[in-house]
Amino acid sequence: KFPLTSVTVVCMASYAVRASAFTSRFATRALFRSTSRAMSSSAATMVENPMLVQEGLPKFESIEPVHLTPAVDGLLERLEQDFQSFEAKLASQESPEYDQVLPEVERMQFPLGYTWGVASHLNGVKNSDELRAAYEASQGKVVQAMTKFSQSKPLYDALAKIEKSWEGNLDESFVVRQKRRAVENSLRSMKLGGVGLEGQEKERFNEMKMRLASLSTTFSNNVLDDTKGFSLTVDDATKMQGVPGSAKALWANAHYQYVKSNAPEGQEIPEMDPEVGPWRITLDMPSYLPAMSHLPDRELREQIYKAYIQRASEKSGEKNNIPLIYEILKIKAEMAQMLGYKNYAELSLASKMAPSVQAVTELTDLMAEKAVPAAKKELEEITALAKEKGGEQYASMDSLAPWDV
């Protein structure tokens, strides 16, 4: 409905890179899943913590916020011990082998990665004050633990030795090529993680990584709070003409659940009727999208649309994310320069397919050159159709608004 912008292109590229990275690492992690599951199952038995049960799917039905801190603390303690032994072993090896290094790193990291992934997911979809507090209390410790891996000189030196040992090796089999790529990516990731920094630079770099993690969490919390903080109750059935029954049922049930959760104990709550209402619309995607797609009333759509795009903005008071954005940009620029790049865009592209910032800009400009005229033409056509078929509210309109399309 709208032309691609540079922001859209960057987001799409970022998603593609993350998906590719997940795919490439999934096969490696699968090799160690059985070992990690056995270790985690043993730990879970000892402490009866569902966040440590890593066999099969996460035990979401049993997990409570109180489980997060002890699970993470226990895994971090074990990881610290294992990694110290691992570094000492690497330092004593003159000619380390691939299977002695990266597979071992994966085995050590997997239990914590699994548990923290579950915690991150729950923090996004089942957020509560208790879970948020536990998540934020553990986040810094998790970042510090992962930083130790990315800045480990013994690990970096071992990987560099492995890469050097393969020079002149003409074996181009699939397995060998994947191992080479894994080592290459790991070395690059460690360079971007600050393995080459020393002294005050390293200390400052790590401070910025911690701050970025905190800012990212605050940013997400602000958006989540504003999403949860908005609702619009509609009790006029004429404003629901033409809306699918599934959407009305969703909104009617949302109203029923809201009234029920806020009613005094013992108070009888009338049964919901999707055809009569009231209907409660929120900014959660399953509620927001049907509203923007099917509500015939333009004023309602405008109100909902503006509430959605203005989440965590200057209109949100303490939840304003704009200062956070500027601070994030400033920190990323400093980190990039510390690592030898002119700007953060160059640093970001170091691990992506695009060859340069200029190439990304040229592609974005090319797409805009082709897409914007087509988008404008389509908007004119849709506006003309709305004027012809949409009734009085569209008849004198110069152009449709974002909440119309």
Side-chain angles (χ1 to χ4, degrees), residues 84-362:
Q84 286 181 358
S85 300
F86 178 67
E87 283 191 309
K89 183 179 177 181
L90 290 179
S92 66
Q93 292 178 337
E94 289 294 329
S95 303
E97 298 289 336
Y98 174 88
D99 290 338
Q100 298 171 331
V101 183
L102 282 186
E104 289 298 323
V105 171
E106 293 284 351
R107 285 193 183 96
M108 285 185 286
Q109 290 181 343
F110 183 84
L112 178 62
Y114 186 102
T115 294
W116 192 244
V118 172
S120 298
H121 175 71
L122 288 174
N123 194 48
V125 302
K126 197 180 178 182
N127 191 275
S128 66
D129 292 341
E130 295 81 4
L131 178 58
R132 182 177 294 187
Y135 184 87
E136 292 178 358
S138 295
Q139 183 181 49
K141 293 180 285 187
V142 173
V143 172
Q144 287 177 332
M146 292 301 101
T147 298
K148 288 182 180 179
F149 278 87
S150 65
Q151 296 182 349
S152 168
K153 289 293 182 64
L155 176 56
Y156 183 86
D157 291 342
L159 290 171
K161 289 177 182 178
I162 293 172
E163 185 177 52
K164 185 173 181 61
S165 71
W166 287 340
E167 291 180 358
N169 188 337
L170 300 180
D171 187 348
E172 291 295 326
S173 65
F174 176 79
V175 173
V176 171
R177 285 188 286 113
Q178 295 309 305
K179 287 182 177 181
R180 284 176 176 165
R181 181 167 177 78
V183 170
E184 176 187 342
N185 289 347
S186 296
L187 286 170
R188 181 182 60 210
S189 178
M190 294 182 74
K191 290 175 183 177
L192 299 181
V195 70
L197 301 177
E198 299 287 352
Q200 291 184 348
E201 276 196 333
K202 181 178 180 179
E203 184 177 340
R204 172 59 181 159
F205 187 86
N206 290 342
E207 287 177 357
M208 290 190 289
K209 288 184 71 172
M210 292 283 288
R211 180 57 180 162
L212 277 180
S214 176
L215 288 170
S216 176
T217 299
T218 303
F219 187 101
S220 299
N221 287 343
N222 288 346
V223 175
L224 183 60
D225 288 342
D226 262 12
T227 300
K228 293 163 62 177
F230 174 89
S231 67
L232 178 65
T233 300
V234 181
D235 52 18
D236 184 353
T238 62
K239 297 183 181 296
M240 291 288 163
Q241 292 181 0
V243 175
S246 58
K248 290 190 289 186
L250 175 71
W251 299 331
N253 182 62
H255 177 76
Y256 175 81
Q257 295 298 332
Y258 175 76
V259 172
K260 182 180 178 180
S261 64
N262 289 276
E265 186 176 353
Q267 178 178 328
E268 185 176 348
I269 308 299
E271 293 293 328
M272 70 169 188
D273 187 339
E275 298 302 322
V276 177
W279 302 271
R280 188 169 189 263
I281 301 170
T282 69
L283 298 182
D284 291 316
M285 269 302 126
S287 181
Y288 173 81
L289 285 179
M292 298 309 299
S293 300
H294 301 296
L295 283 178
D297 190 293
R298 292 191 73 241
E299 291 184 359
L300 286 182
R301 294 200 308 270
E302 179 180 1
Q303 185 178 349
I304 297 167
Y305 174 83
K306 288 183 176 180
Y308 185 82
I309 64 169
Q310 291 174 351
R311 292 173 301 164
S313 68
E314 64 272 9
K315 295 182 178 293
S316 302
E318 294 181 356
K319 302 295 182 181
N320 183 6
N321 273 343
I322 293 178
L324 274 62
I325 293 173
Y326 283 113
E327 185 176 355
I328 289 170
L329 291 173
K330 182 179 179 181
I331 290 175
K332 288 187 172 183
E334 184 179 348
M335 292 177 75
Q337 292 171 5
M338 194 174 288
L339 293 172
Y341 295 92
K342 293 179 181 178
N343 49 57
Y344 188 78
E346 283 191 358
L347 186 155
S348 177
L349 291 181
S351 57
K352 296 182 174 68
M353 291 179 64
S356 65
V357 176
Q358 182 180 354
V360 175
T361 302
E362 290 175 353

